Amino acid sequence: MAPLFSKKDNFKKSRDAKIENFSRKLIKRITGLKDDDQNFQLCIEFVDSNFKYHRFLDVNSHQVQKTIDGLSEKFLIHGQYQKARSFKSLTTQLLDSVRISHFSQKDDVFSILSLLLHLSESPVNYNYTPRLVFKDKRVVDVSEDVDWGTYLLEGEELSSKFSDSQEEYLSDDEDLEVEKEEPLDIKLPKYPPRRDDSGIDICSYGKGKSSSPETPEIDSTFSLHCTSGYSWLTQNIQPSYWSKASVQHSEPLSNSWVSNFVKEWEQYLEQTSEFYVKGQNIVLTERQVIRELLWMLSGIQDLFLFVWKDNRFCVQEDVQLSHLTQGCLSAFLQKFCDYGTTVVKLSLFVREISSSSSTNHCPSYQAYAAALSHLLGTFSCVLRRYEKILIKQEETLTLSMVLHGLQKSLQDIATLGNLHSKAVESISTDSPAWHRAVCLLSAIYAQLDQHDALPKDENESKNIILLLFLHTCQPYMNYLEGIISKNHSFTDPDEEFIICRSSMVSTDDEAFWEKALSVRDIPNSLKKSLFLSPFLADVVTASKSMELLQRTGYKCEIFKSKGSLYSRFLTNLIKCLEYANCQVQRTSNNQVANIETSSEELKSRYKAEETNKNVDEIDSLTSRFNYWLTWTGVENPFLWTNFQCLLKPCPTNLESETKQNEWCHKISVHSSVTLPLTHLIQDALRPLVEEECTKTCQCLIEVLKREYHLSYHLESIKNFFLMAAGDVMFSFCSEIFDRMSEEENILDPFFLNAALEDALSWRELRESHRLNVTINPDYVPQKGSSLNILENIVLQYQVTWPVNVLLSSNSLQIYNQVFTFLLQIKCAKYLLDELRFSDLNEKEPEIDSDEELTILTANTKPNIPHLQKIHGMIQLRIQILHFINSLHAYIMTEVLQPASGELDSFLKSAVNFDQVISTHNQYLCRLQEHCLLSPHLSILKKCVSRVLDLAPSFQHCWLEGAANINVSTLQHIEEEFRHCQQFLVSYLARPTRKGTFPHMESLAFAIQTLETMTKLFPKT
Amino acid sequence: MADSGGSGSTASTILQAKETFEIIQEISRLLNTGLDTETLAICVRLCESGVNPEALASVIRELRRESAAVKAGESNH
């Protein structure tokens, strides 16, 4: 036992001496007192007393560990993540560096840590910057100047330190020996490469320039104490460069002069210019700039680098890169601002249209907005790809690379912006929907046409314009289908279609064809660039036909369509594009098979990609929903079942979406053809529209002919108004003419209708109920025997709908004009034809008194023989009759018969009702013209009427008898006839007039012949 | 703390001791203890010698306070 005590005593003495020695040094270091100072002794006593007689407990490692954790948490709470990381890392390293088996050393470490923790003074407020740099032991240079071993041992010899306790510390030595034999394997913490989202020039966060992976910033154990999200945040946190107050002017890591170009430049400027003042610009990294750029191009307005001001982006002024000066960076980024502004403008438009509150937007605008949204989404996908590259930080990405990569997309955006300003922004929002829709479609179509004219190199945006057009025209195509196809009903609540249906005109109205539908009044420049312009007339005709057909309730089997007009149009367009491509390929000696194969390949690849994408999307949704359920702790099987059901219809939606994307893709593939796309669009649309229109129109014609007896009604009109039914009309007319010759009132409706019924009853015609005769209500009785009285007879023909669309009241009025004119000719002819020679000879002079004899003698030429009188009468009769017969023959054979024949042949070949109506109108005009009923031929008509009016007068003379004839009356008749004859000859048969009325050549010839003959015979 | 000990006094031992002290120094700086390298080395030795760290901390603080008071008094005179 004794040796044991002595050992302990020795150890204690040695330790006390050592403590006293270090205490002295400590006092000297802290207070600066010297050995002989009075206070020094007091200090010694104080320290000794405190060391020996304190009231503190021994060091508790758990307590120390707890304090360390608490302190690091405190750092985190104060947002001093770097300090927390460093502290945690340092303490962990310190504890790890001590051998676990070496208990005493571990206690020492905890003692030291405890001491430091007790001595710490508000570490939170201390501005700490890490200085420590760890180096691998294997590369350490042992021949450093500082001999740390000697320094720490303070000149003590280890052998003498514990000279009497070798055995006690033997284990230490053994450990050391073992350690010596082991390979150097110091567990340096494996720090992940420092996260730096800031760019290619990785900036250090502090003043130190090191960024080697050995920098003890992130400790693996540290993450154990933090939530995963928090850890993620700490690893991905970005220095808040957007807050100018907290921005750190970090130095680029690379020492390359390229990376420090701005610094070099500023140094140069400082050296060369006395007045140069260095600006306080914020130095960003290129990655930060790219990120801000991508955000701006995505349409985000609240950015640091790009300021949204006065409805446009501009570059923040006091920003520079380490290798690009402020001016250079600003100039470089300025061109992106325009694209960003365009994207924002388009996005705002899409948002405005999509918002449920907006009711003022027509379907075309909505379709346009949807197309824009689709294109912006595609652009956004491109941006996301770059953003992913930025986030992964596995590839180098520079501004110039981004610019190069986005060149095509930015060109598309610029094209869209230009187009948008032309198609939408330049149009007043107060203008009617149809005007806005037409302007929109015309602008897109005109742009497409304009791009067709460009060379292929400058024509890359043609594809998106075509897609935009095809999306935007869909509502118009639906309207078109609704208006010309029987299976759809035309509804245009927004009044945006170019064809409008007048609400004032009903289908039953006889003015339906003229007034029901009309093309809206748009400027020709707009109409020209509207893709429907070539078909508008056909469409209007077809739509009117369709409405009539629908009104008839006729069901036609041919209207079973093979799909919507829009889908068929797309199919046709794709075919046209493919065909055009094939043609181009053939000309360049490439095989068509290659195209088809590549097309098929693309198609199959596209389909596969789409399918995979859809499956991925569903998987992603399911997993997210699962995660959400787990996270919220909701265990609800019904909710899960409902979610599954919700996903079920997705494939069908996706299918239709895929279908639409498929044609988009096909069109994208083929739209690079050199042929003008506008022509291809027309080629694709024309057959469809024409087919629909022809189908509808022909169906109406058939229905009108078969069900509504259109041809029969026209025939009836010809029979009665144009007196083609000679026997019936002769019977009717002769009744009237007889009454006229007897100088009775013919304008008696009862008499006229009875005469008509009698005439019709001979042939038992079924139109008897349709025909009736009335008197002109404006008729004023006049004295005299003019045939003009016949013009007051109005023959009426009852026409039912829809035939009244063709045989309208106006048409019937013209027919009636022809009828009354014919009536006059026939009347004159009848009156002269019915004269008997016996009537001329039978009557003796009726003289009752001497006065009458005197008058008679005065009026008649007593020296004219009786036979000469008769001869003169007969001669005049023949002349007038010849004229009337020529006129009658001209009207009946030269005018009515050929015109009717032509009308019949035209009606047989007419493909639509519009043609029927126009042909009929032309026919009526021709009748008017040729029957001298046109206003510009009124002088001829008057002349002819005067000749015709001679017939009743002559008849009266004739019936008086040759003996009682009034020679002056006869001479007057003859003179009147000759004057009229001469006028007509001069008007129609003069060489200078020849060719003016080609249809009246025969009449002119007859009159001229008559005049010649008249000249041969002397006057009566 | 780091035995550079006897026969096993090798470069690695020295390196370890050096690194350990560097870590301690860095922690001291981070915690704003106000100890310079020499004072810290003395403190480490004292702790290794068995001095209670809390007592040592209390002594250091007291010495600093007194020293500051003395210096302040001297400067006032």
Side-chain angles (χ1 to χ4, degrees):
Chain A
M1 293 297 286
L4 185 64
F5 274 112
S6 66
K7 272 185 182 175
K8 278 186 179 177
D9 287 344
N10 288 338
F11 177 68
K12 196 177 176 183
K13 279 178 187 174
S14 165
R15 196 191 74 167
D16 288 345
K18 209 157 69 173
I19 289 171
E20 192 181 342
N21 185 23
F22 286 123
S23 300
R24 282 173 177 277
K25 287 182 179 176
L26 183 70
I27 292 163
K28 284 178 190 170
R29 288 293 304 169
I30 293 171
T31 61
L33 297 173
K34 293 177 181 173
D35 290 340
D36 54 349
D37 204 325
Q38 189 183 353
N39 288 332
F40 185 79
Q41 198 55 41
L42 285 173
C43 287
I44 290 285
E45 287 171 6
F46 170 74
V47 169
D48 190 45
S49 161
N50 272 281
F51 284 173
K52 286 179 180 170
Y53 310 107
H54 60 84
R55 54 184 174 78
F56 303 109
L57 297 175
D58 286 345
V59 176
N60 183 345
S61 60
H62 297 290
Q63 187 61 41
V64 171
Q65 190 65 54
K66 207 171 170 183
T67 311
I68 288 168
D69 291 343
L71 190 55
S72 87
E73 197 174 344
K74 192 177 177 181
F75 285 137
L76 289 175
I77 289 166
H78 283 267
Q80 298 172 343
Y81 309 113
Q82 189 182 3
K83 211 181 267 186
R85 276 198 299 269
S86 299
F87 179 60
K88 197 72 189 168
S89 170
L90 286 166
T91 49
T92 311
Q93 280 182 75
L94 184 64
L95 292 171
D96 285 348
S97 66
V98 180
R99 307 279 304 198
I100 303 300
S101 58
H102 210 310
F103 295 107
S104 64
Q105 279 198 4
K106 195 165 187 183
D107 288 343
D108 290 345
V109 168
F110 278 113
S111 291
I112 293 162
L113 282 173
S114 174
L115 169 72
L116 296 177
L117 287 169
H118 280 106
L119 281 177
S120 66
E121 283 185 12
S122 62
V124 173
N125 298 325
Y126 174 62
N127 190 16
Y128 167 75
T129 45
R131 285 180 184 170
L132 193 54
V133 179
F134 289 92
K135 290 178 184 173
D136 196 325
K137 270 186 175 182
R138 283 166 290 201
V139 295
V140 73
D141 184 9
V142 291
S143 62
E144 280 184 329
D145 296 337
V146 183
D147 185 359
W148 286 96
T150 314
Y151 176 75
L152 290 169
L153 288 170
E154 292 284 333
E156 287 186 32
E157 289 296 328
L158 279 178
S159 56
S160 62
K161 182 183 173 186
F162 299 123
S163 57
D164 52 350
S165 59
Q166 292 287 327
E167 295 85 356
E168 195 181 345
Y169 294 95
L170 188 61
S171 58
D172 289 351
D173 293 341
E174 282 171 359
D175 286 341
L176 283 171
E177 281 174 12
V178 171
E179 191 179 283
K180 192 171 71 179
E181 287 168 10
E182 286 175 352
L184 295 174
D185 184 22
I186 291 175
K187 289 186 179 175
L188 290 174
K190 289 181 180 175
Y191 303 104
R194 210 175 108 186
R195 296 285 312 188
D196 181 59
D197 295 328
S198 55
I200 52 170
D201 298 327
I202 302 169
C203 296
S204 63
Y205 289 93
K207 289 173 186 174
K209 291 189 176 180
S210 171
S211 72
S212 71
E214 296 148 0
T215 308
E217 286 184 357
I218 302 165
D219 180 59
S220 58
T221 55
F222 173 64
S223 60
L224 296 173
H225 302 284
C226 301
T227 60
S228 59
Y230 194 82
S231 170
W232 186 91
L233 274 176
T234 52
Q235 288 180 18
N236 289 277
I237 204 81
Q238 182 81 225
S240 53
Y241 62 85
W242 52 87
S243 168
K244 290 183 183 179
S246 64
V247 72
Q248 296 179 16
H249 295 273
S250 52
E251 297 290 330
L253 272 178
S254 173
N255 291 325
S256 163
W257 68 270
V258 176
S259 299
N260 296 288
F261 179 74
V262 173
K263 197 194 282 181
E264 298 279 334
W265 176 247
E266 282 174 347
Q267 280 174 2
Y268 169 75
L269 287 176
E270 278 174 345
Q271 287 166 7
T272 53
S273 174
E274 294 172 359
F275 303 105
Y276 175 72
V277 180
K278 192 178 172 182
Q280 291 298 316
N281 292 331
I282 298 162
V283 182
L284 295 185
T285 63
E286 198 158 345
R287 277 182 183 268
Q288 286 168 337
V289 172
I290 293 172
R291 180 168 286 190
E292 289 259 340
L293 176 66
L294 294 177
W295 287 340
M296 181 195 68
L297 292 175
S298 305
I300 298 166
Q301 295 173 31
D302 188 16
L303 296 171
F304 167 71
L305 185 57
F306 300 96
V307 185
W308 180 256
K309 195 178 176 185
D310 298 332
N311 288 329
R312 66 189 308 279
F313 279 114
C314 51
V315 184
Q316 181 82 24
E317 286 177 354
D318 51 351
V319 175
Q320 66 180 40
L321 295 180
S322 62
H323 56 287
L324 278 182
T325 60
Q326 182 263 327
C328 184
L329 182 66
S330 179
F332 182 79
L333 294 178
Q334 195 59 47
K335 57 188 167 191
F336 287 101
C337 290
D338 296 337
Y339 298 120
T341 308
T342 305
V343 170
V344 169
K345 196 168 65 178
L346 297 177
S347 305
L348 285 176
F349 174 76
V350 170
R351 211 174 301 155
E352 187 198 349
I353 297 291
S354 312
S355 64
S356 55
S357 60
S358 63
T359 53
N360 194 26
H361 301 301
C362 50
S364 291
Y365 263 43
Q366 288 172 8
Y368 170 69
L372 271 185
S373 176
H374 175 74
L375 292 172
L376 287 176
T378 312
F379 179 60
S380 188
C381 285
V382 177
L383 297 179
R384 292 292 84 78
R385 279 209 295 274
Y386 281 105
E387 205 161 354
K388 276 179 186 171
I389 294 171
L390 273 181
I391 291 167
K392 282 182 183 172
Q393 297 190 64
E394 290 168 354
E395 298 172 38
T396 304
L397 195 63
T398 63
L399 271 171
S400 60
M401 287 166 69
V402 172
L403 174 64
H404 180 72
L406 289 177
Q407 203 166 10
K408 168 77 175 61
S409 304
L410 292 177
Q411 193 183 340
D412 290 349
I413 289 292
T415 310
L416 285 179
N418 287 335
L419 184 59
H420 184 75
S421 60
K422 277 186 210 165
V424 176
E425 289 177 348
S426 61
I427 312 300
S428 166
T429 50
D430 298 331
S431 56
W434 58 266
H435 186 254
R436 281 183 287 153
V438 167
C439 287
L440 175 67
L441 284 166
S442 299
I444 300 173
Y445 195 69
Q447 185 82 3
L448 204 56
D449 200 26
Q450 198 180 329
H451 272 260
D452 280 336
L454 291 175
K456 198 176 179 182
D457 299 343
E458 301 167 25
N459 209 3
E460 290 176 353
S461 300
K462 195 164 76 169
N463 181 20
I464 60 158
I465 299 172
L466 179 62
L467 289 177
L468 198 63
F469 171 76
L470 292 177
H471 275 100
T472 312
C473 75
Q474 190 172 3
Y476 249 54
M477 296 294 281
N478 292 339
Y479 288 131
L480 186 64
E481 184 169 27
I483 209 166
I484 60 174
S485 173
K486 193 176 173 71
N487 297 330
H488 298 83
S489 56
F490 175 64
T491 50
D492 185 12
D494 300 295
E495 295 186 349
E496 72 156 341
F497 195 47
I498 192 169
I499 296 170
C500 71
R501 171 74 173 88
S502 170
S503 57
M504 307 293 286
V505 184
S506 71
T507 318
D508 296 339
D509 202 325
E510 67 174 31
F512 166 80
W513 201 263
E514 284 81 29
K515 297 177 181 173
L517 281 119
S518 58
V519 178
R520 294 185 194 273
D521 187 22
I522 54 172
N524 281 333
S525 56
L526 274 179
K527 202 185 268 187
K528 208 181 286 179
S529 44
L530 185 69
F531 73 107
L532 282 179
S533 290
F535 319 111
L536 277 179
D538 290 344
V539 169
V540 169
T541 307
S543 59
K544 285 189 279 195
S545 303
M546 180 50 67
E547 194 167 339
L548 283 181
L549 269 179
Q550 283 177 335
R551 175 72 177 77
T552 59
Y554 181 77
K555 289 179 182 174
C556 195
E557 292 298 317
I558 59 169
F559 289 111
K560 283 182 180 174
S561 68
K562 304 154 193 170
S564 73
L565 181 70
Y566 183 65
S567 63
R568 283 184 289 153
F569 163 63
L570 291 179
T571 313
N572 271 9
L573 182 64
I574 290 167
K575 279 180 189 169
C576 286
L577 286 168
E578 283 174 351
Y579 180 73
N581 264 334
C582 287
Q583 291 295 320
V584 171
Q585 291 290 328
R586 271 179 191 164
T587 53
S588 60
N589 296 326
N590 284 333
Q591 288 189 0
V592 182
N594 291 338
I595 300 170
E596 285 168 0
T597 314
S598 61
S599 168
E600 286 302 314
E601 275 177 12
L602 277 170
K603 189 177 160 186
S604 58
R605 197 189 308 161
Y606 178 73
K607 269 187 180 174
E609 278 176 9
E610 282 297 316
T611 315
N612 290 338
K613 199 177 159 188
N614 295 340
V615 171
D616 288 348
E617 278 175 8
I618 291 170
D619 286 349
S620 163
L621 274 174
T622 313
S623 63
R624 277 162 64 189
F625 187 69
N626 244 336
Y627 173 77
W628 180 78
L629 285 179
T630 316
W631 183 65
T632 51
V634 179
E635 289 182 7
N636 190 338
F638 294 109
L639 197 61
W640 175 248
T641 312
N642 274 329
F643 181 73
Q644 291 281 337
C645 291
L646 194 69
L647 278 182
K648 271 182 186 173
C650 280
T652 55
N653 291 337
L654 288 170
E655 197 178 330
S656 64
E657 188 74 20
T658 309
K659 209 171 179 180
Q660 193 168 3
N661 287 336
E662 195 176 334
W663 68 254
C664 277
H665 175 74
K666 276 184 175 177
I667 284 168
S668 304
V669 167
H670 295 292
S671 63
S672 58
V673 291
T674 48
L675 286 175
L677 284 176
T678 49
H679 287 212
L680 292 178
I681 288 172
Q682 294 294 329
D683 288 347
L685 190 57
R686 187 178 298 109
L688 295 174
V689 176
E690 283 179 355
E691 185 194 359
E692 290 288 334
C693 289
T694 311
K695 220 160 53 177
T696 310
C697 294
Q698 281 183 344
C699 188
L700 178 69
I701 296 275
E702 279 176 24
V703 169
L704 286 176
K705 283 180 181 171
R706 196 172 60 239
E707 306 288 328
Y708 293 92
H709 314 292
L710 182 68
S711 304
Y712 175 78
H713 285 291
L714 285 171
E715 194 65 30
S716 295
I717 291 287
K718 274 191 286 181
N719 282 340
F720 302 112
F721 283 86
L722 308 183
M723 299 193 186
D727 51 345
V728 176
M729 293 315 288
F730 179 77
S731 171
F732 170 63
C733 293
S734 54
E735 287 279 328
I736 299 170
F737 302 152
D738 288 341
R739 196 157 179 157
M740 266 191 86
S741 61
E742 290 165 12
E743 297 183 354
E744 291 180 23
N745 180 25
I746 58 161
L747 296 180
D748 179 8
F750 299 107
F751 159 70
L752 292 171
N753 281 304
L756 184 65
E757 283 295 326
D758 283 347
L760 292 173
S761 63
W762 286 101
R763 283 175 58 174
E764 296 180 353
L765 293 169
R766 57 179 175 178
E767 298 89 354
S768 58
H769 67 284
R770 294 185 186 278
L771 280 169
N772 67 327
V773 187
T774 57
I775 308 301
N776 180 12
D778 303 328
Y779 166 64
V780 181
Q782 289 174 349
K783 285 184 179 178
S785 58
S786 170
L787 293 180
N788 288 338
I789 195 169
L790 292 170
E791 288 180 358
N792 293 302
I793 294 173
V794 180
L795 184 63
Q796 288 187 329
Y797 187 81
Q798 302 294 331
V799 190
T800 54
W801 184 91
V803 184
N804 67 347
V805 177
L806 179 70
L807 298 173
S808 62
S809 55
N810 286 335
S811 305
L812 290 174
Q813 201 176 345
I814 295 168
Y815 276 119
N816 196 63
Q817 283 176 9
V818 178
F819 170 71
T820 53
F821 184 57
L822 272 177
L823 210 58
Q824 288 175 53
I825 296 169
K826 283 185 181 289
C827 181
K829 189 173 181 303
Y830 181 83
L831 291 179
L832 295 181
D833 279 344
E834 290 300 310
L835 293 178
R836 303 279 182 272
F837 292 111
S838 55
D839 296 337
L840 197 63
N841 293 321
E842 276 176 3
K843 283 193 176 180
E844 291 296 323
E846 294 170 358
I847 303 162
D848 297 332
S849 60
D850 293 340
E851 267 183 38
E852 283 183 3
L853 181 66
T854 313
I855 294 165
L856 183 65
T857 314
N859 289 336
T860 57
K861 288 182 179 178
N863 55 350
I864 297 175
H866 183 71
L867 280 174
Q868 192 179 345
K869 276 186 188 176
I870 291 173
H871 176 73
M873 288 288 281
I874 291 169
Q875 191 181 338
L876 187 59
R877 182 196 172 197
I878 289 170
Q879 286 174 1
I880 296 172
L881 201 57
H882 178 79
F883 177 87
I884 291 170
N885 279 337
S886 300
L887 182 67
H888 182 259
Y890 160 72
I891 296 289
M892 297 306 288
T893 58
E894 299 284 326
V895 176
L896 298 181
Q897 204 174 339
S900 300
E902 281 179 25
L903 177 68
D904 288 343
S905 62
F906 271 125
L907 290 181
K908 275 179 190 168
S909 62
V911 292
N912 60 46
F913 197 52
D914 212 20
Q915 279 183 10
V916 172
I917 288 178
S918 62
T919 307
H920 183 249
N921 287 338
Q922 284 171 13
Y923 169 70
L924 286 177
C925 285
R926 183 177 166 181
L927 285 187
Q928 269 190 313
E929 177 94 11
H930 291 194
C931 292
L932 314 176
L933 299 172
S934 296
H936 69 278
L937 296 173
S938 59
I939 191 164
L940 276 179
K941 170 76 173 27
K942 258 183 197 173
C943 186
V944 168
S945 294
R946 279 170 67 177
V947 175
L948 294 177
D949 281 342
L950 294 176
S953 307
F954 185 78
Q955 185 215 21
H956 184 71
C957 288
W958 186 283
L959 291 177
E960 288 292 320
N964 300 320
I965 196 162
N966 190 336
V967 177
S968 63
T969 307
L970 198 62
Q971 281 176 338
H972 172 73
I973 290 169
E974 191 176 1
E975 287 297 317
E976 182 78 8
F977 178 68
R978 284 186 192 281
H979 285 152
C980 289
Q981 192 184 11
Q982 282 171 1
F983 172 77
L984 287 172
V985 167
S986 66
Y987 202 86
L988 297 174
R990 283 260 176 87
T992 51
R993 284 279 180 182
K994 275 191 176 176
T996 314
F997 304 103
H999 52 278
M1000 294 172 81
E1001 290 290 326
S1002 60
L1003 179 64
F1005 180 72
I1007 296 167
Q1008 199 176 8
T1009 312
L1010 181 63
E1011 192 199 18
T1012 314
M1013 283 172 65
T1014 310
K1015 282 176 184 172
L1016 293 175
F1017 298 101
K1019 283 187 180 180
T1020 317
Chain B
M1 184 174 156
D3 284 325
S4 56
S7 58
S9 174
T10 60
S12 64
T13 315
I14 293 166
L15 179 70
Q16 191 180 6
K18 180 188 164 187
E19 279 191 357
T20 310
F21 187 74
E22 277 181 350
I23 292 169
I24 291 167
Q25 202 177 358
E26 192 67 14
I27 294 171
S28 166
R29 209 168 61 77
L30 191 149
L31 294 176
N32 192 24
T33 55
L35 299 174
D36 56 12
T37 310
E38 203 171 330
T39 314
L40 183 63
I42 294 164
C43 289
V44 169
R45 304 305 289 179
L46 281 170
C47 285
E48 283 181 338
S49 303
V51 174
N52 185 290
E54 215 168 331
L56 178 58
S58 136
V59 163
I60 291 169
R61 277 201 296 270
E62 195 61 30
L63 287 176
R64 281 175 177 168
R65 191 175 58 78
E66 284 299 326
S67 172
V70 170
K71 282 175 183 170
E74 283 175 358
S75 62
N76 286 338
H77 287 295

